[in-house]
Amino acid sequence: LARFDIKQSGVINSRKNISWLDGRKIESIGHRYESRKYYELRQYADRFYPGGKKKVVPRDIRITPLSVKMWYIDDGTLAPFSRSSQIVLCTDSFPKDDVLFLIDKLHDVGFSVRYYASRNRIRLNSGSVRDFLDYIGEPIGIVRSEEHTSELQSH
């Protein structure tokens, strides 16, 4: 945001999530960026919601470490499935053609991904998880409360 001469007002918060898979309790840590809306960035929102309507993927979108990191922070998760972990990118609200377009873009970068049809999402296969995390780099700006940090360390 500094590039646009906009003072950043949000924070990244983390929280513990508990879910169940095949009768097993699975604990994970979720991170969420919370911010106010920025009028100065409205032109970018308009690219994804042309005319304020249906969400689309702009065809000139670039896949870069930073753009993928922000996508992952906003709509991604490291999810356990059976004996391995996979990255899931939530693309539920995009048309299927746009999701397939994003899959092609991720293939071009070298990731092994597939379409998760029942949820209209993208899954990075377990063999690409480490490459994906290396590609996006270290997390930045994660804020944890004292209570939450000690709770996570006890598990």
Side-chain angles (χ1 to χ4, degrees):
L1 296 175
R3 275 187 14 203
F4 298 99
D5 198 27
I6 300 170
K7 184 177 180 186
Q8 192 271 350
S9 69
V11 296
I12 298 174
N13 293 306
S14 57
R15 68 184 174 125
K16 184 168 96 173
N17 300 311
I18 297 174
S19 59
W20 295 88
L21 179 68
D22 299 329
R24 292 181 296 132
K25 181 178 177 180
I26 299 169
E27 296 181 10
S28 62
I29 301 171
H31 305 287
R32 181 142 186 104
Y33 180 75
E34 297 174 3
S35 168
R36 67 178 182 90
K37 291 183 178 182
Y38 293 97
Y39 171 79
E40 299 89 345
L41 300 177
R42 183 70 204 172
Q43 64 181 328
Y44 300 102
D46 290 343
R47 293 185 66 221
F48 287 87
Y49 296 92
K53 306 261 181 190
K54 187 175 172 182
K55 191 173 184 180
V56 300
V57 175
R59 290 306 189 238
D60 64 343
I61 197 160
R62 292 183 348 203
I63 299 294
T64 67
L66 180 59
S67 68
V68 174
K69 179 187 284 193
M70 301 317 297
W71 180 14
Y72 178 63
I73 287 171
D74 190 41
D75 286 321
T77 187
L78 177 62
F81 291 100
S82 56
R83 297 176 189 213
S84 63
S85 293
Q86 297 176 358
I87 299 284
V88 176
L89 297 169
C90 300
T91 49
D92 310 41
S93 61
F94 287 108
K96 180 180 177 181
D97 288 345
D98 287 6
V99 177
L100 297 176
F101 171 75
L102 290 169
I103 286 173
D104 288 342
K105 296 288 255 180
L106 290 167
H107 276 140
D108 291 346
V109 177
F111 297 118
S112 175
V113 297
R114 62 187 165 139
Y115 181 61
Y116 182 23
S118 67
R119 303 288 299 270
N120 195 41
R121 292 181 176 176
I122 297 171
R123 275 196 189 167
L124 278 86
N125 298 328
S126 58
S128 281
V129 168
R130 173 56 44 208
D131 292 339
F132 179 86
L133 295 174
D134 289 344
Y135 181 75
I136 66 172
E138 292 293 319
I140 53 173
I142 295 174
V143 177
R144 294 187 180 117
S145 69
E146 290 290 323
E147 175 184 321
H148 184 71
T149 301
S150 61
E151 180 181 322
L152 292 174
Q153 290 171 344
S154 68
H155 293 294

